[in-house]
Amino acid sequence: MKYDTNQLEINKVQKSKIEEVNFDNLVFGEIFTDHMFECDYDNGQWQTPKIRPYGSIEMDPSAKVFHYGQAVFEGMKAYKDEDDQIWLFRPEENFKRINKSSARLAIPEFPKEFFFSGLEELLKLDKAWIKKGFGNSLYIRPFVIATEEGVSANPSTKYKFMIICSPAQAYYSGEVRVQFSEKYSRAANGGVGAAKAAGNYAAQFYPTNLAKEAGFQQIIWTDANTHEFLEEAGTMNIFFRIGDKLITAPTSDRILDGVTRKSVIDLAKDLNIEVEIRKVKVSEIVEAARNGELKEIFGSGTATVINPISGFGYKDEKFELPELEDSYGKSFKDQLMKIQYNQAEDRHGWRYLIK
Ligand code: COI
């Protein structure tokens, strides 16, 4: 079916609330821009997409999303360069992934025409919310929820696709120490680990609270069968540097195919850094930390970009990692951000201009 992008209905705010916002002191994901995008699925098709003032939505308490968690989301960012141009980073990847996640949760695909026309119009309307300067961005959260009324455990016949946007600075502030999971699991073979399913995140909250009580900010999840292999951190994919070699786990139906992750792998290859994409044994990382060969661990993700890990815990032991002068993580972060903010050549064609 062909969807007509001219269909987009736009209802603008009477008065922007931007003046009430302190852009120097933003907590991640707490403030939202003036407008949002909304499109309903009903009668077997996506209806007229709309942009309207940001605000509450009304739903029946029996809506399936509340009972069965039929919901998926994406994370993207928009950046403003010194000439006030707005850029996205590899948005096609997020578009493909939200539909892949949707397919896994029996949610109908969202049309590409609607996604891009809606997102671009939204960004143009809320352009003033994207501040210039390295580290400032607009975090974009597309998501789909099942809105059909009724608690029978079947896929919904009604959905709402939305995009909301939040001005952002850093995701994690301060040092991040991680715990290698010994007991709890995030994903299993044949499950939904590779999807950005809302429930994947809810399921991490309890074990992460336990890890926080033990002095860590995040968990690195290990495989559900043996807990012998390191997989991902839930909000980030994870890279290990042993000597000068970079190692990261392969994507699978348990591990999210992160856009930042694959960009880091490409940048590493450009720099002739050896990258091994293979299963990562907990024991080899512990061993490398003991004998001083483990140089760094860092996480990659849209919200955080690259996040250095300053230490990790496994069983009853804690390991600290040195701060490196020649950190790969820092260098990838710098290169990625320069591409994102239109300050460096975009060899891979990752930037996407909002016209
Ligand atoms: C992102 O990086 O966009 C994520 O999905 C992490 C999120 C849970 C804040």
Side-chain angles (χ1 to χ4, degrees), residues 20 23 27 29 40 45 48 52 56 62 84 111 130 146 152 155 165-166 185-186 198 207 232 294 305 310 313:
E20 296 158 27
F23 282 87
V27 177
D40 289 322
Q45 62 175 311
T48 304
R52 64 170 175 97
S56 309
S62 71
D84 281 336
I130 314 173
S152 67
C165 300
S166 173
S185 300
R186 175 187 172 274
E232 62 147 282
L294 180 69
V305 192
S310 53

Side-chain angles (χ1 to χ4, degrees), residues 28 73 75 139 141 171 196 201 235 301-304:
F28 182 85
F73 73 93
Y139 185 73
R141 172 55 63 89
Y171 184 68
K196 272 187 100 68
Y201 294 77
T235 56
T302 298
T304 184

Side-chain angles (χ1 to χ4, degrees), residues 297-316:
I297 305 179
F298 60 86
S300 67
T302 298
T304 184
V305 192
I306 301 283
N307 209 290
I309 306 293
S310 53
F312 70 91
Y314 180 60
K315 299 203 162 143
D316 292 329

